[in-house]
mmCIF file of all heavy atoms in Angstrom:
data_model
loop_
_atom_site.group_PDB
_atom_site.id
_atom_site.type_symbol
_atom_site.label_atom_id
_atom_site.label_comp_id
_atom_site.label_asym_id
_atom_site.label_seq_id
_atom_site.Cartn_x
_atom_site.Cartn_y
_atom_site.Cartn_z
ATOM 1 N N SER A 1 103.670 135.180 113.320
ATOM 2 C CA SER A 1 103.889 134.843 114.734
ATOM 3 C C SER A 1 102.577 134.863 115.510
ATOM 4 O O SER A 1 102.423 134.145 116.509
ATOM 5 C CB SER A 1 104.884 135.817 115.370
ATOM 6 O OG SER A 1 104.394 137.153 115.289
ATOM 7 N N LEU A 2 101.618 135.662 115.050
ATOM 8 C CA LEU A 2 100.327 135.731 115.725
ATOM 9 C C LEU A 2 99.552 134.427 115.564
ATOM 10 O O LEU A 2 98.813 134.013 116.466
ATOM 11 C CB LEU A 2 99.505 136.898 115.179
ATOM 12 C CG LEU A 2 100.128 138.290 115.286
ATOM 13 C CD1 LEU A 2 99.219 139.325 114.631
ATOM 14 C CD2 LEU A 2 100.393 138.670 116.743
ATOM 15 N N ALA A 3 99.713 133.780 114.404
ATOM 16 C CA ALA A 3 98.995 132.532 114.155
ATOM 17 C C ALA A 3 99.422 131.435 115.120
ATOM 18 O O ALA A 3 98.633 130.533 115.432
ATOM 19 C CB ALA A 3 99.218 132.083 112.712
ATOM 20 N N LYS A 4 100.652 131.503 115.608
ATOM 21 C CA LYS A 4 101.146 130.488 116.536
ATOM 22 C C LYS A 4 100.334 130.464 117.824
ATOM 23 O O LYS A 4 100.222 129.419 118.478
ATOM 24 C CB LYS A 4 102.628 130.736 116.845
ATOM 25 C CG LYS A 4 103.293 129.641 117.669
ATOM 26 C CD LYS A 4 104.777 129.908 117.832
ATOM 27 C CE LYS A 4 105.453 128.777 118.596
ATOM 28 N NZ LYS A 4 104.941 128.622 119.971
ATOM 29 N N ARG A 5 99.745 131.579 118.191
ATOM 30 C CA ARG A 5 98.916 131.641 119.403
ATOM 31 C C ARG A 5 97.757 130.638 119.313
ATOM 32 O O ARG A 5 97.415 129.985 120.297
ATOM 33 C CB ARG A 5 98.362 133.049 119.599
ATOM 34 C CG ARG A 5 99.390 134.111 119.951
ATOM 35 C CD ARG A 5 99.842 133.982 121.378
ATOM 36 N NE ARG A 5 100.616 135.145 121.823
ATOM 37 C CZ ARG A 5 101.211 135.238 123.007
ATOM 38 N NH1 ARG A 5 101.112 134.223 123.872
ATOM 39 N NH2 ARG A 5 101.886 136.315 123.342
ATOM 40 N N PHE A 6 97.155 130.547 118.132
ATOM 41 C CA PHE A 6 96.037 129.611 117.952
ATOM 42 C C PHE A 6 96.526 128.165 117.996
ATOM 43 O O PHE A 6 95.899 127.303 118.611
ATOM 44 C CB PHE A 6 95.314 129.895 116.634
ATOM 45 C CG PHE A 6 94.658 131.241 116.586
ATOM 46 C CD1 PHE A 6 95.287 132.316 115.974
ATOM 47 C CD2 PHE A 6 93.403 131.437 117.148
ATOM 48 C CE1 PHE A 6 94.683 133.563 115.920
ATOM 49 C CE2 PHE A 6 92.795 132.685 117.108
ATOM 50 C CZ PHE A 6 93.436 133.749 116.492
ATOM 51 N N ALA A 7 97.650 127.909 117.332
ATOM 52 C CA ALA A 7 98.211 126.552 117.329
ATOM 53 C C ALA A 7 98.565 126.116 118.741
ATOM 54 O O ALA A 7 98.344 124.954 119.127
ATOM 55 C CB ALA A 7 99.444 126.501 116.427
ATOM 56 N N ASP A 8 99.104 127.034 119.537
ATOM 57 C CA ASP A 8 99.468 126.712 120.919
ATOM 58 C C ASP A 8 98.245 126.356 121.759
ATOM 59 O O ASP A 8 98.361 125.650 122.764
ATOM 60 C CB ASP A 8 100.214 127.878 121.565
ATOM 61 C CG ASP A 8 101.619 128.058 121.000
ATOM 62 O OD1 ASP A 8 102.096 127.138 120.311
ATOM 63 O OD2 ASP A 8 102.221 129.130 121.234
ATOM 64 N N GLU A 9 97.070 126.848 121.362
ATOM 65 C CA GLU A 9 95.822 126.527 122.055
ATOM 66 C C GLU A 9 95.169 125.267 121.507
ATOM 67 O O GLU A 9 94.077 124.884 121.951
ATOM 68 C CB GLU A 9 94.837 127.699 121.940
ATOM 69 C CG GLU A 9 95.127 128.860 122.872
ATOM 70 C CD GLU A 9 94.868 128.530 124.334
ATOM 71 O OE1 GLU A 9 94.065 127.618 124.613
ATOM 72 O OE2 GLU A 9 95.486 129.176 125.200
ATOM 73 N N GLY A 10 95.798 124.660 120.519
ATOM 74 C CA GLY A 10 95.257 123.440 119.957
ATOM 75 C C GLY A 10 94.072 123.660 119.040
ATOM 76 O O GLY A 10 93.198 122.806 118.921
ATOM 77 N N THR A 11 94.069 124.802 118.375
ATOM 78 C CA THR A 11 92.958 125.099 117.472
ATOM 79 C C THR A 11 93.457 125.908 116.283
ATOM 80 O O THR A 11 94.656 126.196 116.159
ATOM 81 C CB THR A 11 91.839 125.861 118.216
ATOM 82 O OG1 THR A 11 90.690 125.951 117.374
ATOM 83 C CG2 THR A 11 92.286 127.253 118.641
ATOM 84 N N ALA A 12 92.543 126.263 115.395
ATOM 85 C CA ALA A 12 92.843 127.129 114.260
ATOM 86 C C ALA A 12 91.975 128.366 114.372
ATOM 87 O O ALA A 12 90.842 128.309 114.865
ATOM 88 C CB ALA A 12 92.565 126.409 112.943
ATOM 89 N N GLY A 13 92.513 129.484 113.917
ATOM 90 C CA GLY A 13 91.751 130.724 113.997
ATOM 91 C C GLY A 13 92.445 131.840 113.266
ATOM 92 O O GLY A 13 93.470 131.632 112.595
ATOM 93 N N THR A 14 91.891 133.035 113.388
ATOM 94 C CA THR A 14 92.476 134.205 112.742
ATOM 95 C C THR A 14 92.249 135.435 113.604
ATOM 96 O O THR A 14 91.274 135.499 114.374
ATOM 97 C CB THR A 14 91.892 134.415 111.333
ATOM 98 O OG1 THR A 14 92.619 135.454 110.665
ATOM 99 C CG2 THR A 14 90.424 134.793 111.375
ATOM 100 N N PHE A 15 93.147 136.388 113.465
ATOM 101 C CA PHE A 15 93.057 137.653 114.203
ATOM 102 C C PHE A 15 93.442 138.776 113.257
ATOM 103 O O PHE A 15 94.417 138.676 112.511
ATOM 104 C CB PHE A 15 94.009 137.643 115.398
ATOM 105 C CG PHE A 15 94.179 138.987 116.068
ATOM 106 C CD1 PHE A 15 93.265 139.410 117.033
ATOM 107 C CD2 PHE A 15 95.237 139.824 115.733
ATOM 108 C CE1 PHE A 15 93.414 140.651 117.652
ATOM 109 C CE2 PHE A 15 95.393 141.061 116.350
ATOM 110 C CZ PHE A 15 94.474 141.467 117.307
ATOM 111 N N VAL A 16 92.653 139.852 113.296
ATOM 112 C CA VAL A 16 92.983 141.063 112.549
ATOM 113 C C VAL A 16 92.818 142.250 113.481
ATOM 114 O O VAL A 16 91.792 142.377 114.161
ATOM 115 C CB VAL A 16 92.080 141.242 111.314
ATOM 116 C CG1 VAL A 16 92.502 142.490 110.526
ATOM 117 C CG2 VAL A 16 92.130 140.024 110.413
ATOM 118 N N GLY A 17 93.832 143.096 113.536
ATOM 119 C CA GLY A 17 93.758 144.322 114.326
ATOM 120 C C GLY A 17 94.004 145.532 113.439
ATOM 121 O O GLY A 17 94.874 145.492 112.564
ATOM 122 N N TYR A 18 93.239 146.579 113.652
ATOM 123 C CA TYR A 18 93.410 147.824 112.903
ATOM 124 C C TYR A 18 93.807 148.917 113.880
ATOM 125 O O TYR A 18 93.002 149.376 114.690
ATOM 126 C CB TYR A 18 92.121 148.189 112.170
ATOM 127 C CG TYR A 18 92.113 149.601 111.601
ATOM 128 C CD1 TYR A 18 93.193 150.083 110.861
ATOM 129 C CD2 TYR A 18 91.022 150.443 111.809
ATOM 130 C CE1 TYR A 18 93.180 151.370 110.358
ATOM 131 C CE2 TYR A 18 91.011 151.732 111.304
ATOM 132 C CZ TYR A 18 92.091 152.197 110.584
ATOM 133 O OH TYR A 18 92.101 153.476 110.088
ATOM 134 N N LYS A 19 95.075 149.322 113.837
ATOM 135 C CA LYS A 19 95.592 150.386 114.697
ATOM 136 C C LYS A 19 95.247 151.722 114.048
ATOM 137 O O LYS A 19 95.876 152.137 113.069
ATOM 138 C CB LYS A 19 97.094 150.213 114.912
ATOM 139 C CG LYS A 19 97.467 148.850 115.492
ATOM 140 C CD LYS A 19 98.909 148.780 115.955
ATOM 141 C CE LYS A 19 99.066 149.471 117.294
ATOM 142 N NZ LYS A 19 100.438 149.307 117.858
ATOM 143 N N THR A 20 94.245 152.372 114.610
ATOM 144 C CA THR A 20 93.628 153.502 113.923
ATOM 145 C C THR A 20 94.569 154.697 113.784
ATOM 146 O O THR A 20 94.521 155.398 112.773
ATOM 147 C CB THR A 20 92.337 153.936 114.644
ATOM 148 O OG1 THR A 20 92.652 154.385 115.972
ATOM 149 C CG2 THR A 20 91.362 152.771 114.728
ATOM 150 N N ASP A 21 95.408 154.953 114.771
ATOM 151 C CA ASP A 21 96.314 156.101 114.692
ATOM 152 C C ASP A 21 97.385 155.906 113.620
ATOM 153 O O ASP A 21 97.863 156.877 113.019
ATOM 154 C CB ASP A 21 96.979 156.362 116.040
ATOM 155 C CG ASP A 21 96.029 156.988 117.040
ATOM 156 O OD1 ASP A 21 94.918 157.369 116.629
ATOM 157 O OD2 ASP A 21 96.385 157.075 118.230
ATOM 158 N N ASP A 22 97.768 154.656 113.401
ATOM 159 C CA ASP A 22 98.827 154.352 112.438
ATOM 160 C C ASP A 22 98.267 153.971 111.068
ATOM 161 O O ASP A 22 99.038 153.739 110.135
ATOM 162 C CB ASP A 22 99.690 153.195 112.945
ATOM 163 C CG ASP A 22 100.374 153.518 114.266
ATOM 164 O OD1 ASP A 22 100.676 154.704 114.489
ATOM 165 O OD2 ASP A 22 100.591 152.589 115.060
ATOM 166 N N TYR A 23 96.928 153.877 110.954
ATOM 167 C CA TYR A 23 96.295 153.393 109.719
ATOM 168 C C TYR A 23 96.910 152.061 109.298
ATOM 169 O O TYR A 23 97.182 151.819 108.119
ATOM 170 C CB TYR A 23 96.409 154.415 108.581
ATOM 171 C CG TYR A 23 96.011 155.812 108.981
ATOM 172 C CD1 TYR A 23 96.827 156.899 108.699
ATOM 173 C CD2 TYR A 23 94.814 156.038 109.644
ATOM 174 C CE1 TYR A 23 96.462 158.191 109.069
ATOM 175 C CE2 TYR A 23 94.440 157.317 110.020
ATOM 176 C CZ TYR A 23 95.270 158.390 109.740
ATOM 177 O OH TYR A 23 94.896 159.663 110.114
ATOM 178 N N LEU A 24 97.139 151.199 110.303
ATOM 179 C CA LEU A 24 97.841 149.938 110.070
ATOM 180 C C LEU A 24 96.943 148.754 110.403
ATOM 181 O O LEU A 24 96.407 148.661 111.511
ATOM 182 C CB LEU A 24 99.110 149.877 110.933
ATOM 183 C CG LEU A 24 99.889 148.561 110.892
ATOM 184 C CD1 LEU A 24 100.413 148.290 109.482
ATOM 185 C CD2 LEU A 24 101.034 148.605 111.912
ATOM 186 N N ILE A 25 96.766 147.857 109.423
ATOM 187 C CA ILE A 25 96.017 146.624 109.617
ATOM 188 C C ILE A 25 97.012 145.485 109.760
ATOM 189 O O ILE A 25 97.866 145.281 108.887
ATOM 190 C CB ILE A 25 95.076 146.358 108.423
ATOM 191 C CG1 ILE A 25 94.071 147.501 108.280
ATOM 192 C CG2 ILE A 25 94.350 145.030 108.588
ATOM 193 C CD1 ILE A 25 93.327 147.497 106.966
ATOM 194 N N ILE A 26 96.906 144.751 110.854
ATOM 195 C CA ILE A 26 97.803 143.635 111.135
ATOM 196 C C ILE A 26 96.971 142.365 111.211
ATOM 197 O O ILE A 26 95.987 142.312 111.954
ATOM 198 C CB ILE A 26 98.549 143.840 112.471
ATOM 199 C CG1 ILE A 26 99.327 145.162 112.445
ATOM 200 C CG2 ILE A 26 99.486 142.671 112.749
ATOM 201 C CD1 ILE A 26 99.858 145.578 113.809
ATOM 202 N N ALA A 27 97.348 141.352 110.441
ATOM 203 C CA ALA A 27 96.606 140.103 110.430
ATOM 204 C C ALA A 27 97.527 138.932 110.700
ATOM 205 O O ALA A 27 98.728 138.974 110.407
ATOM 206 C CB ALA A 27 95.901 139.901 109.093
ATOM 207 N N SER A 28 96.944 137.880 111.257
ATOM 208 C CA SER A 28 97.724 136.682 111.559
ATOM 209 C C SER A 28 97.919 135.813 110.322
ATOM 210 O O SER A 28 98.766 134.910 110.330
ATOM 211 C CB SER A 28 97.022 135.867 112.650
ATOM 212 O OG SER A 28 95.740 135.437 112.218
ATOM 213 N N ASP A 29 97.142 136.038 109.274
ATOM 214 C CA ASP A 29 97.215 135.207 108.071
ATOM 215 C C ASP A 29 96.544 135.939 106.917
ATOM 216 O O ASP A 29 95.822 136.918 107.132
ATOM 217 C CB ASP A 29 96.515 133.861 108.302
ATOM 218 C CG ASP A 29 95.025 134.059 108.548
ATOM 219 O OD1 ASP A 29 94.622 134.315 109.696
ATOM 220 O OD2 ASP A 29 94.269 133.985 107.560
ATOM 221 N N ALA A 30 96.769 135.439 105.707
ATOM 222 C CA ALA A 30 96.184 136.057 104.522
ATOM 223 C C ALA A 30 94.937 135.342 104.038
ATOM 224 O O ALA A 30 94.226 135.868 103.180
ATOM 225 C CB ALA A 30 97.218 136.068 103.389
ATOM 226 N N GLN A 31 94.648 134.160 104.574
ATOM 227 C CA GLN A 31 93.532 133.379 104.062
ATOM 228 C C GLN A 31 92.292 133.486 104.942
ATOM 229 O O GLN A 31 91.267 134.038 104.537
ATOM 230 C CB GLN A 31 93.936 131.901 103.925
ATOM 231 C CG GLN A 31 92.828 130.991 103.415
ATOM 232 C CD GLN A 31 92.367 131.355 102.021
ATOM 233 O OE1 GLN A 31 93.177 131.716 101.170
ATOM 234 N NE2 GLN A 31 91.063 131.282 101.786
ATOM 235 N N ARG A 32 92.379 132.974 106.177
ATOM 236 C CA ARG A 32 91.183 132.892 107.007
ATOM 237 C C ARG A 32 90.656 134.273 107.381
ATOM 238 O O ARG A 32 89.459 134.432 107.650
ATOM 239 C CB ARG A 32 91.463 132.058 108.257
ATOM 240 C CG ARG A 32 90.235 131.882 109.147
ATOM 241 C CD ARG A 32 90.400 130.736 110.107
ATOM 242 N NE ARG A 32 89.321 130.700 111.082
ATOM 243 C CZ ARG A 32 88.930 129.613 111.736
ATOM 244 N NH1 ARG A 32 89.534 128.456 111.519
ATOM 245 N NH2 ARG A 32 87.942 129.679 112.600
ATOM 246 N N SER A 33 91.524 135.274 107.392
ATOM 247 C CA SER A 33 91.077 136.629 107.714
ATOM 248 C C SER A 33 89.996 137.103 106.757
ATOM 249 O O SER A 33 89.207 137.983 107.089
ATOM 250 C CB SER A 33 92.254 137.600 107.691
ATOM 251 O OG SER A 33 92.887 137.571 106.411
#
């Protein structure tokens, strides 16, 4: 669902967030990241 943000802007991209308290890495995709 995060990848849709880039498509809605008319471009391609990637986002990765690391929530340090949860030791959780969240990515918009498995490739471009």
Side-chain angles (χ1 to χ4, degrees):
S1 60
L2 302 177
K4 187 175 183 298
R5 292 285 192 185
F6 296 98
D8 289 346
E9 282 290 336
T11 189
T14 188
F15 169 84
V16 183
Y18 168 48
K19 304 191 78 174
T20 63
D21 286 351
D22 299 329
Y23 312 130
L24 175 63
I25 299 167
I26 303 168
S28 62
D29 64 275
Q31 179 62 39
R32 182 162 171 156
S33 58

